[in-house]
Amino acid sequence: MKKKKTIQIISFLAILSLILSACGGGGSSDSGTSSGNSGANGGNGGNGAKSEQIELTFSHYYLEEERPTSAEMDSYMTLVEEWEAKNPNVNLVQSVMSQADYSTKIQAQAAVNEVPDIFFLKGSWVSNFVNNDLVMPINEYLDKYEYKDKFRKGVFDAATRDGKIYGIPNQLSITSVVFYNEQLWKEIGYDRFPDNWDDIYKAAEKFNEKGITTIALGNKDKWPAESTILSTLGDRFTGTDWTNSIIARDGQAKFTDPEFVSALDQMHNIAANKVFNADFNVISNTQADEYYAQGKAAATIEGHWTVSYLLSSASEEVLSQTNVAILPPVDGGKGDNNTISGGAGWYVALNKNLEGAKLEAAMDFLFSTAGYDFSRVYAEKYGMTGPSVIEGIDLTQFPQLTQDFAALTGSLTFTPIYDMLMEGSVIEIMNTGLQEVLNGTKTGQELAEQLQTGQDNL
């Protein structure tokens, strides 16, 4: 379990700049621009204010201790460090904590109108932040951005309200891939991950006899079961038109529709058949990945972040036996079976009240660390797919798991990730209630009725 951690980081270069200035050696007009010419202002954002010292507050959940196991985090923070080095007149004061703690804190700050200058914004929160006039639209700057045409289709959807865009995507989330140990499945009679749920339930009986978890799940922070399993499983039952209707709140679809209730009941059935580890509501998703990496679980259902985690944490034996798959279809479902949940849903956003030199510096930071430059570093260094299209990457230079992940996800259609696009208050009901559905203290119908009430109250 991670404790809340706030880290205040002031760039050494910024301090050095102050010292040199006091000694008559100041002047950083030739210190370079941010990320070449890729910024929203042709790479000159902030340069007009090089003579004055600027402080920007930046809140996020990229913990330094998790960086070695996260390609996404390392790619983004590499660009943050480069930007700091090129902008010594800016003190970037960072507040960093776990994702769960961050989600709680930033929404509490929003409630009292005290958000940081720069912060991570989840798609499901955008309406609330926009309605309370907390976040700045970036359309004017995006129109000037050199790489504006490189963004993948749909990556701004979750951050757009009434035609205004409120952030730059700092990831492309792929949330529902099965990572499984081929050797463990072969030992109980399966050449590959099963393509039907009955075989998964039968496999669970055999694995439990051997003291091995069938599918590791860590749902302590509430979002994993919904984001990594239900977002895809639900689409198997309902089809994507249903999800889009819920997101649009057009009244055509309801959480109490029998197809969605069936998806919730299926979640209960998976847990009731002891497919998951007994402590699934107690441990985090990282701890669940540890179970798999240590050979204590035959599979885990996770997202793009698990590729880099396994490459850095799993043994060579486990890595050599790891393959990837998708969730099986369901009987009578309305959805496409060749899909997984994915898309952009986290953004880097700016405080609505920024102005002058602070606004120019913050906007330059925004475009220099997310978007195209992030995608470039992410692809070149790790072979992973970001929100912008990067061409000419030779995937054969990367580990087999990276190649397998890219090949699988590149052949699939993405469906909406519930907690990225549905309203935040509804997602809170879903995530909390899903813990109860999984442990059998609430029925799928009861949770569906609670969700519909929450939806109606929006």
Side-chain angles (χ1 to χ4, degrees), residues 282-316:
V282 177
I283 66 170
S284 69
N285 68 303
T286 301
Q287 290 172 302
D289 287 346
E290 287 176 6
Y291 282 179
Y292 178 81
Q294 295 168 359
K296 297 178 181 179
T300 185
I301 304 171
E302 280 274 46
H304 64 275
W305 55 89
T306 300
V307 174
S308 53
Y309 176 83
L310 293 178
L311 289 174
S312 63
S313 303
S315 66
E316 286 298 324

mmCIF file of all heavy atoms in Angstrom, residues 282-316:
data_model
loop_
_atom_site.group_PDB
_atom_site.id
_atom_site.type_symbol
_atom_site.label_atom_id
_atom_site.label_comp_id
_atom_site.label_asym_id
_atom_site.label_seq_id
_atom_site.Cartn_x
_atom_site.Cartn_y
_atom_site.Cartn_z
ATOM 1 N N VAL A 282 -8.464 -6.215 -1.979
ATOM 2 C CA VAL A 282 -7.565 -5.725 -0.927
ATOM 3 C C VAL A 282 -6.234 -5.253 -1.502
ATOM 4 O O VAL A 282 -5.630 -4.301 -1.002
ATOM 5 C CB VAL A 282 -7.315 -6.824 0.129
ATOM 6 C CG1 VAL A 282 -6.332 -6.355 1.200
ATOM 7 C CG2 VAL A 282 -8.636 -7.246 0.770
ATOM 8 N N ILE A 283 -5.771 -5.883 -2.565
ATOM 9 C CA ILE A 283 -4.469 -5.528 -3.138
ATOM 10 C C ILE A 283 -4.641 -4.584 -4.331
ATOM 11 O O ILE A 283 -5.716 -4.484 -4.920
ATOM 12 C CB ILE A 283 -3.674 -6.779 -3.570
ATOM 13 C CG1 ILE A 283 -4.371 -7.491 -4.744
ATOM 14 C CG2 ILE A 283 -3.486 -7.725 -2.391
ATOM 15 C CD1 ILE A 283 -3.543 -8.587 -5.368
ATOM 16 N N SER A 284 -3.554 -3.908 -4.693
ATOM 17 C CA SER A 284 -3.560 -2.983 -5.831
ATOM 18 C C SER A 284 -3.316 -3.745 -7.129
ATOM 19 O O SER A 284 -2.910 -4.912 -7.120
ATOM 20 C CB SER A 284 -2.476 -1.924 -5.656
ATOM 21 O OG SER A 284 -1.190 -2.516 -5.785
ATOM 22 N N ASN A 285 -3.530 -3.072 -8.248
ATOM 23 C CA ASN A 285 -3.281 -3.725 -9.535
ATOM 24 C C ASN A 285 -1.796 -4.031 -9.723
ATOM 25 O O ASN A 285 -1.428 -5.026 -10.356
ATOM 26 C CB ASN A 285 -3.809 -2.876 -10.691
ATOM 27 C CG ASN A 285 -3.039 -1.588 -10.902
ATOM 28 O OD1 ASN A 285 -2.920 -0.776 -9.994
ATOM 29 N ND2 ASN A 285 -2.520 -1.381 -12.099
ATOM 30 N N THR A 286 -0.911 -3.193 -9.154
ATOM 31 C CA THR A 286 0.520 -3.471 -9.235
ATOM 32 C C THR A 286 0.857 -4.754 -8.480
ATOM 33 O O THR A 286 1.670 -5.575 -8.940
ATOM 34 C CB THR A 286 1.338 -2.302 -8.677
ATOM 35 O OG1 THR A 286 1.035 -1.119 -9.422
ATOM 36 C CG2 THR A 286 2.831 -2.588 -8.769
ATOM 37 N N GLN A 287 0.230 -4.949 -7.325
ATOM 38 C CA GLN A 287 0.453 -6.176 -6.563
ATOM 39 C C GLN A 287 -0.084 -7.389 -7.315
ATOM 40 O O GLN A 287 0.503 -8.475 -7.251
ATOM 41 C CB GLN A 287 -0.206 -6.055 -5.188
ATOM 42 C CG GLN A 287 0.493 -5.069 -4.269
ATOM 43 C CD GLN A 287 -0.278 -4.826 -2.981
ATOM 44 O OE1 GLN A 287 -1.433 -4.406 -3.007
ATOM 45 N NE2 GLN A 287 0.355 -5.100 -1.847
ATOM 46 N N ALA A 288 -1.176 -7.215 -8.041
ATOM 47 C CA ALA A 288 -1.700 -8.315 -8.860
ATOM 48 C C ALA A 288 -0.713 -8.665 -9.971
ATOM 49 O O ALA A 288 -0.477 -9.841 -10.268
ATOM 50 C CB ALA A 288 -3.050 -7.927 -9.454
ATOM 51 N N ASP A 289 -0.122 -7.635 -10.570
ATOM 52 C CA ASP A 289 0.894 -7.884 -11.588
ATOM 53 C C ASP A 289 2.095 -8.608 -10.989
ATOM 54 O O ASP A 289 2.743 -9.431 -11.654
ATOM 55 C CB ASP A 289 1.348 -6.570 -12.220
ATOM 56 C CG ASP A 289 0.302 -5.976 -13.151
ATOM 57 O OD1 ASP A 289 -0.644 -6.697 -13.512
ATOM 58 O OD2 ASP A 289 0.429 -4.791 -13.512
ATOM 59 N N GLU A 290 2.404 -8.307 -9.732
ATOM 60 C CA GLU A 290 3.496 -9.001 -9.047
ATOM 61 C C GLU A 290 3.184 -10.483 -8.920
ATOM 62 O O GLU A 290 4.060 -11.330 -9.102
ATOM 63 C CB GLU A 290 3.722 -8.391 -7.660
ATOM 64 C CG GLU A 290 4.375 -7.019 -7.676
ATOM 65 C CD GLU A 290 4.477 -6.419 -6.284
ATOM 66 O OE1 GLU A 290 4.137 -7.131 -5.312
ATOM 67 O OE2 GLU A 290 4.876 -5.258 -6.174
ATOM 68 N N TYR A 291 1.937 -10.816 -8.589
ATOM 69 C CA TYR A 291 1.542 -12.223 -8.507
ATOM 70 C C TYR A 291 1.873 -12.924 -9.824
ATOM 71 O O TYR A 291 2.427 -14.024 -9.843
ATOM 72 C CB TYR A 291 0.035 -12.341 -8.249
ATOM 73 C CG TYR A 291 -0.411 -12.094 -6.825
ATOM 74 C CD1 TYR A 291 -1.759 -12.156 -6.484
ATOM 75 C CD2 TYR A 291 0.494 -11.809 -5.809
ATOM 76 C CE1 TYR A 291 -2.195 -11.937 -5.185
ATOM 77 C CE2 TYR A 291 0.080 -11.587 -4.507
ATOM 78 C CZ TYR A 291 -1.273 -11.647 -4.208
ATOM 79 O OH TYR A 291 -1.695 -11.420 -2.926
ATOM 80 N N TYR A 292 1.500 -12.268 -10.934
ATOM 81 C CA TYR A 292 1.755 -12.877 -12.238
ATOM 82 C C TYR A 292 3.255 -12.961 -12.513
ATOM 83 O O TYR A 292 3.760 -13.999 -12.949
ATOM 84 C CB TYR A 292 1.067 -12.090 -13.353
ATOM 85 C CG TYR A 292 1.359 -12.682 -14.708
ATOM 86 C CD1 TYR A 292 0.650 -13.778 -15.171
ATOM 87 C CD2 TYR A 292 2.397 -12.181 -15.501
ATOM 88 C CE1 TYR A 292 0.951 -14.370 -16.394
ATOM 89 C CE2 TYR A 292 2.704 -12.757 -16.731
ATOM 90 C CZ TYR A 292 1.979 -13.850 -17.168
ATOM 91 O OH TYR A 292 2.293 -14.439 -18.366
ATOM 92 N N ALA A 293 3.973 -11.884 -12.253
ATOM 93 C CA ALA A 293 5.406 -11.843 -12.540
ATOM 94 C C ALA A 293 6.167 -12.900 -11.743
ATOM 95 O O ALA A 293 7.211 -13.390 -12.182
ATOM 96 C CB ALA A 293 5.965 -10.455 -12.227
ATOM 97 N N GLN A 294 5.649 -13.258 -10.574
ATOM 98 C CA GLN A 294 6.304 -14.248 -9.718
ATOM 99 C C GLN A 294 5.837 -15.673 -10.004
ATOM 100 O O GLN A 294 6.246 -16.618 -9.327
ATOM 101 C CB GLN A 294 6.037 -13.907 -8.250
ATOM 102 C CG GLN A 294 6.654 -12.591 -7.804
ATOM 103 C CD GLN A 294 6.131 -12.135 -6.449
ATOM 104 O OE1 GLN A 294 5.278 -12.782 -5.823
ATOM 105 N NE2 GLN A 294 6.625 -10.995 -5.978
ATOM 106 N N GLY A 295 4.966 -15.853 -11.003
ATOM 107 C CA GLY A 295 4.475 -17.184 -11.337
ATOM 108 C C GLY A 295 3.387 -17.694 -10.427
ATOM 109 O O GLY A 295 3.035 -18.878 -10.471
ATOM 110 N N LYS A 296 2.802 -16.799 -9.614
ATOM 111 C CA LYS A 296 1.738 -17.198 -8.687
ATOM 112 C C LYS A 296 0.360 -17.104 -9.331
ATOM 113 O O LYS A 296 -0.633 -17.516 -8.734
ATOM 114 C CB LYS A 296 1.783 -16.325 -7.438
ATOM 115 C CG LYS A 296 3.063 -16.459 -6.628
ATOM 116 C CD LYS A 296 3.048 -15.519 -5.427
ATOM 117 C CE LYS A 296 4.344 -15.640 -4.625
ATOM 118 N NZ LYS A 296 4.358 -14.702 -3.462
ATOM 119 N N ALA A 297 0.285 -16.544 -10.524
ATOM 120 C CA ALA A 297 -0.977 -16.428 -11.256
ATOM 121 C C ALA A 297 -0.736 -16.822 -12.699
ATOM 122 O O ALA A 297 0.333 -16.558 -13.260
ATOM 123 C CB ALA A 297 -1.526 -15.004 -11.174
ATOM 124 N N ALA A 298 -1.739 -17.443 -13.306
ATOM 125 C CA ALA A 298 -1.605 -17.911 -14.686
ATOM 126 C C ALA A 298 -1.909 -16.811 -15.694
ATOM 127 O O ALA A 298 -1.560 -16.937 -16.872
ATOM 128 C CB ALA A 298 -2.526 -19.097 -14.923
ATOM 129 N N ALA A 299 -2.544 -15.737 -15.235
ATOM 130 C CA ALA A 299 -2.880 -14.637 -16.142
ATOM 131 C C ALA A 299 -3.197 -13.393 -15.325
ATOM 132 O O ALA A 299 -3.436 -13.461 -14.107
ATOM 133 C CB ALA A 299 -4.079 -15.002 -17.018
ATOM 134 N N THR A 300 -3.186 -12.263 -15.990
ATOM 135 C CA THR A 300 -3.695 -11.019 -15.423
ATOM 136 C C THR A 300 -4.317 -10.228 -16.568
ATOM 137 O O THR A 300 -3.862 -10.326 -17.719
ATOM 138 C CB THR A 300 -2.582 -10.203 -14.727
ATOM 139 O OG1 THR A 300 -3.158 -9.050 -14.099
ATOM 140 C CG2 THR A 300 -1.512 -9.760 -15.704
ATOM 141 N N ILE A 301 -5.383 -9.504 -16.270
ATOM 142 C CA ILE A 301 -6.044 -8.670 -17.284
ATOM 143 C C ILE A 301 -5.720 -7.230 -16.936
ATOM 144 O O ILE A 301 -6.197 -6.682 -15.939
ATOM 145 C CB ILE A 301 -7.567 -8.895 -17.303
ATOM 146 C CG1 ILE A 301 -7.874 -10.371 -17.530
ATOM 147 C CG2 ILE A 301 -8.216 -8.040 -18.393
ATOM 148 C CD1 ILE A 301 -9.342 -10.729 -17.352
ATOM 149 N N GLU A 302 -4.876 -6.618 -17.755
ATOM 150 C CA GLU A 302 -4.373 -5.282 -17.450
ATOM 151 C C GLU A 302 -4.255 -4.458 -18.727
ATOM 152 O O GLU A 302 -4.744 -4.857 -19.779
ATOM 153 C CB GLU A 302 -3.007 -5.405 -16.754
ATOM 154 C CG GLU A 302 -3.125 -5.738 -15.252
ATOM 155 C CD GLU A 302 -3.305 -4.496 -14.406
ATOM 156 O OE1 GLU A 302 -4.125 -3.628 -14.775
ATOM 157 O OE2 GLU A 302 -2.614 -4.371 -13.391
ATOM 158 N N GLY A 303 -3.548 -3.320 -18.630
ATOM 159 C CA GLY A 303 -3.443 -2.418 -19.755
ATOM 160 C C GLY A 303 -2.035 -2.267 -20.285
ATOM 161 O O GLY A 303 -1.126 -3.040 -19.951
ATOM 162 N N HIS A 304 -1.838 -1.231 -21.093
ATOM 163 C CA HIS A 304 -0.544 -0.999 -21.747
ATOM 164 C C HIS A 304 0.596 -0.859 -20.755
ATOM 165 O O HIS A 304 1.736 -1.204 -21.050
ATOM 166 C CB HIS A 304 -0.636 0.264 -22.604
ATOM 167 C CG HIS A 304 -0.879 1.516 -21.826
ATOM 168 N ND1 HIS A 304 -2.138 1.947 -21.455
ATOM 169 C CD2 HIS A 304 -0.010 2.429 -21.326
ATOM 170 C CE1 HIS A 304 -2.028 3.069 -20.779
ATOM 171 N NE2 HIS A 304 -0.766 3.380 -20.680
ATOM 172 N N TRP A 305 0.301 -0.355 -19.553
ATOM 173 C CA TRP A 305 1.332 -0.141 -18.542
ATOM 174 C C TRP A 305 1.984 -1.440 -18.069
ATOM 175 O O TRP A 305 3.111 -1.433 -17.570
ATOM 176 C CB TRP A 305 0.724 0.589 -17.337
ATOM 177 C CG TRP A 305 -0.476 -0.099 -16.759
ATOM 178 C CD1 TRP A 305 -0.484 -1.061 -15.790
ATOM 179 C CD2 TRP A 305 -1.847 0.112 -17.112
ATOM 180 N NE1 TRP A 305 -1.767 -1.483 -15.522
ATOM 181 C CE2 TRP A 305 -2.627 -0.767 -16.316
ATOM 182 C CE3 TRP A 305 -2.489 0.957 -18.018
ATOM 183 C CZ2 TRP A 305 -4.027 -0.815 -16.415
ATOM 184 C CZ3 TRP A 305 -3.880 0.909 -18.102
ATOM 185 C CH2 TRP A 305 -4.629 0.031 -17.315
ATOM 186 N N THR A 306 1.290 -2.555 -18.242
ATOM 187 C CA THR A 306 1.801 -3.832 -17.747
ATOM 188 C C THR A 306 2.947 -4.356 -18.607
ATOM 189 O O THR A 306 3.773 -5.141 -18.129
ATOM 190 C CB THR A 306 0.653 -4.856 -17.670
ATOM 191 O OG1 THR A 306 -0.348 -4.359 -16.788
ATOM 192 C CG2 THR A 306 1.131 -6.204 -17.143
ATOM 193 N N VAL A 307 3.038 -3.928 -19.857
ATOM 194 C CA VAL A 307 4.146 -4.362 -20.712
ATOM 195 C C VAL A 307 5.474 -3.967 -20.087
ATOM 196 O O VAL A 307 6.368 -4.800 -19.880
ATOM 197 C CB VAL A 307 4.018 -3.763 -22.132
ATOM 198 C CG1 VAL A 307 5.252 -4.117 -22.961
ATOM 199 C CG2 VAL A 307 2.755 -4.267 -22.814
ATOM 200 N N SER A 308 5.632 -2.679 -19.774
ATOM 201 C CA SER A 308 6.897 -2.223 -19.205
ATOM 202 C C SER A 308 7.110 -2.766 -17.804
ATOM 203 O O SER A 308 8.251 -3.045 -17.401
ATOM 204 C CB SER A 308 6.973 -0.690 -19.206
ATOM 205 O OG SER A 308 5.848 -0.123 -18.586
ATOM 206 N N TYR A 309 6.018 -2.954 -17.053
ATOM 207 C CA TYR A 309 6.169 -3.523 -15.714
ATOM 208 C C TYR A 309 6.741 -4.942 -15.797
ATOM 209 O O TYR A 309 7.697 -5.277 -15.076
ATOM 210 C CB TYR A 309 4.833 -3.551 -14.961
ATOM 211 C CG TYR A 309 4.959 -4.231 -13.618
ATOM 212 C CD1 TYR A 309 5.419 -3.534 -12.511
ATOM 213 C CD2 TYR A 309 4.694 -5.592 -13.481
ATOM 214 C CE1 TYR A 309 5.590 -4.173 -11.288
ATOM 215 C CE2 TYR A 309 4.862 -6.237 -12.264
ATOM 216 C CZ TYR A 309 5.308 -5.516 -11.172
ATOM 217 O OH TYR A 309 5.495 -6.157 -9.967
ATOM 218 N N LEU A 310 6.185 -5.769 -16.653
ATOM 219 C CA LEU A 310 6.666 -7.144 -16.756
ATOM 220 C C LEU A 310 8.088 -7.204 -17.307
ATOM 221 O O LEU A 310 8.903 -8.023 -16.851
ATOM 222 C CB LEU A 310 5.727 -7.966 -17.635
ATOM 223 C CG LEU A 310 4.320 -8.219 -17.071
ATOM 224 C CD1 LEU A 310 3.477 -9.001 -18.068
ATOM 225 C CD2 LEU A 310 4.393 -8.957 -15.732
ATOM 226 N N LEU A 311 8.389 -6.350 -18.270
ATOM 227 C CA LEU A 311 9.747 -6.349 -18.826
ATOM 228 C C LEU A 311 10.791 -5.999 -17.781
ATOM 229 O O LEU A 311 11.935 -6.473 -17.838
ATOM 230 C CB LEU A 311 9.832 -5.365 -19.991
ATOM 231 C CG LEU A 311 9.106 -5.786 -21.273
ATOM 232 C CD1 LEU A 311 9.137 -4.666 -22.306
ATOM 233 C CD2 LEU A 311 9.717 -7.067 -21.857
ATOM 234 N N SER A 312 10.420 -5.196 -16.802
ATOM 235 C CA SER A 312 11.377 -4.783 -15.778
ATOM 236 C C SER A 312 11.317 -5.644 -14.520
ATOM 237 O O SER A 312 12.272 -5.671 -13.750
ATOM 238 C CB SER A 312 11.127 -3.317 -15.392
ATOM 239 O OG SER A 312 9.840 -3.173 -14.811
ATOM 240 N N SER A 313 10.218 -6.380 -14.316
ATOM 241 C CA SER A 313 10.026 -7.065 -13.030
ATOM 242 C C SER A 313 9.922 -8.586 -13.123
ATOM 243 O O SER A 313 10.221 -9.278 -12.152
ATOM 244 C CB SER A 313 8.761 -6.518 -12.343
ATOM 245 O OG SER A 313 8.832 -5.127 -12.165
ATOM 246 N N ALA A 314 9.458 -9.110 -14.239
ATOM 247 C CA ALA A 314 9.278 -10.560 -14.348
ATOM 248 C C ALA A 314 10.602 -11.244 -14.663
ATOM 249 O O ALA A 314 11.502 -10.656 -15.264
ATOM 250 C CB ALA A 314 8.248 -10.878 -15.431
ATOM 251 N N SER A 315 10.707 -12.500 -14.267
ATOM 252 C CA SER A 315 11.900 -13.281 -14.574
ATOM 253 C C SER A 315 11.947 -13.599 -16.060
ATOM 254 O O SER A 315 10.937 -13.527 -16.770
ATOM 255 C CB SER A 315 11.884 -14.589 -13.778
ATOM 256 O OG SER A 315 10.819 -15.420 -14.216
ATOM 257 N N GLU A 316 13.126 -13.959 -16.555
ATOM 258 C CA GLU A 316 13.260 -14.337 -17.961
ATOM 259 C C GLU A 316 12.371 -15.534 -18.278
ATOM 260 O O GLU A 316 11.811 -15.631 -19.384
ATOM 261 C CB GLU A 316 14.719 -14.661 -18.278
ATOM 262 C CG GLU A 316 15.620 -13.448 -18.361
ATOM 263 C CD GLU A 316 15.206 -12.496 -19.476
ATOM 264 O OE1 GLU A 316 14.764 -12.992 -20.533
ATOM 265 O OE2 GLU A 316 15.309 -11.279 -19.282
#
